[in-house]
Amino acid sequence: MSAYARDIKDSLTFFVFVATTALCLSFTFSVFVYRLGVLEDPQRFLVANLIVAACVAIPTATIASQHEFQLKRYQRQLESLASTDPLTGLQNRRFFRISAEDEMKRQRRMGGMAALVLFDLDQFKRVNDRYGHQAGDALLKRIAEIAYSELRGPFDKLGRWGGEEFVVLLSSVNRDQAWLVCDRLRERLENTEIEFNGEKISVTASFGYEMLTPDASFDRVVESADKALYVSKSTGRNRVTYAGPRLAATA
């Protein structure tokens, strides 16, 4: 069930609750007056009171449920703004960190490994300088769409780390599988062009990744992946580097 459908369901439930509560209170009051026997026609009073209560309760419940629905939508918008990058719609750095820490907790319970990948668009500044920042923003959006399409739905996580740098969490993969995913994405980006104001723009990306284990330090893993990314950048760009023990020894 989507978030929108859940909000509608919750609002209808709230409507029924408010309306039922109001009618029950009115009915209780009517019965109390009826038992006092101070009215000339108690039954007529009971019916009339219930009709008036319904006329008041239903509009009140409608307004209250609409307010509840709008409040939930507003809360979801705030949550979305707090967890996503406004340009690409991907997870922001803060929320991606939470996703990675959740993955490490899952590993402690169930075992397995994951890979943390940083990739950066090569010479992206030239795109902004030549075509303008709007073209750069359009390119970033397209890169985000392509990267997301190459990942495994809800299992892998994708975020914007900052500027033209992206971060990926590949769940339940080993070192070789992670390399294959990175290289497939690298090749896909290399062969992609976007059209902006009649101009065709292409770009390549450099990748660095490190394995994320249950007992690892997230910051240390990010640092290692960043070093691997630097190696990819400094040795020709448009390539994938694994931040293994050999790279650490070299550094």
Side-chain angles (χ1 to χ4, degrees):
M1 182 182 295
S2 66
Y4 183 77
R6 285 197 302 269
D7 289 346
I8 292 178
K9 181 182 177 181
D10 292 343
S11 297
L12 290 175
T13 302
F14 190 69
F15 169 83
V16 172
F17 172 76
V18 172
T20 302
T21 301
L23 289 173
C24 288
L25 290 174
S26 176
F27 181 75
T28 302
F29 173 74
S30 300
V31 170
F32 176 75
V33 174
Y34 176 81
R35 288 187 174 276
L36 288 178
V38 297
L39 302 173
E40 296 182 0
D41 192 349
Q43 291 182 346
R44 188 174 180 181
F45 167 78
L46 179 62
V47 173
N49 191 47
L50 288 176
I51 293 175
V52 172
C55 292
V56 174
I58 292 176
T60 302
T62 301
I63 294 172
S65 61
Q66 287 179 342
H67 175 74
E68 180 74 6
F69 178 74
Q70 294 297 334
L71 180 61
K72 284 183 175 293
R73 288 190 63 188
Y74 181 66
Q75 289 174 337
R76 291 190 187 280
Q77 288 174 353
L78 289 178
E79 291 171 359
S80 177
L81 290 173
S83 62
T84 59
D85 170 61
L87 176 64
T88 61
L90 302 179
Q91 291 185 358
N92 60 24
R93 182 185 290 226
R94 171 180 168 274
F95 200 72
F96 184 88
R97 184 189 185 100
I98 295 174
S99 297
E101 290 173 348
D102 288 343
E103 169 65 19
M104 295 168 70
K105 291 177 184 177
R106 186 195 67 79
Q107 290 177 355
R108 294 187 191 105
R109 296 193 308 268
M110 306 178 63
M113 296 179 68
L116 189 138
V117 183
L118 289 175
F119 73 92
D120 186 275
L121 304 186
D122 298 326
Q123 299 177 328
F124 180 73
K125 185 177 182 298
R126 292 186 179 181
V127 175
N128 284 332
D129 291 344
R130 180 176 178 181
Y131 303 104
H133 287 279
Q134 287 186 336
D137 289 347
L139 181 60
L140 289 173
K141 291 179 182 179
R142 181 60 180 147
I143 295 300
E145 292 171 359
I146 293 171
Y148 186 82
S149 69
E150 290 291 329
L151 302 179
R152 299 167 299 170
F155 302 104
D156 300 329
K157 307 298 181 184
L158 175 63
R160 187 180 179 194
W161 201 241
E164 65 271 22
E165 191 172 14
F166 296 83
V167 61
V168 184
L169 178 66
L170 301 175
S171 178
S172 301
V173 295
N174 58 33
R175 168 187 168 181
D176 294 335
Q177 291 169 334
W179 191 93
L180 289 173
V181 173
C182 291
D183 196 56
R184 184 178 72 239
L185 178 55
R186 180 202 61 77
E187 186 175 0
R188 175 81 186 278
L189 296 179
E190 182 183 16
N191 296 320
T192 295
E193 288 184 338
I194 73 162
E195 188 169 330
F196 185 82
N197 290 339
E199 297 275 3
K200 290 187 176 181
I201 307 172
S202 61
V203 72
T204 60
S206 299
F207 291 73
Y209 75 97
E210 174 65 292
M211 302 309 296
L212 184 69
T213 57
D215 56 345
S217 163
F218 175 77
D219 292 328
R220 185 65 59 85
V221 172
V222 171
E223 182 181 356
S224 296
D226 192 53
K227 289 179 180 178
L229 172 60
Y230 176 78
V231 171
S232 292
K233 286 281 192 182
S234 60
T235 55
R237 302 185 181 90
N238 192 26
R239 59 186 61 198
V240 179
T241 302
Y242 167 58
R246 183 177 178 183
L247 178 65
T250 304

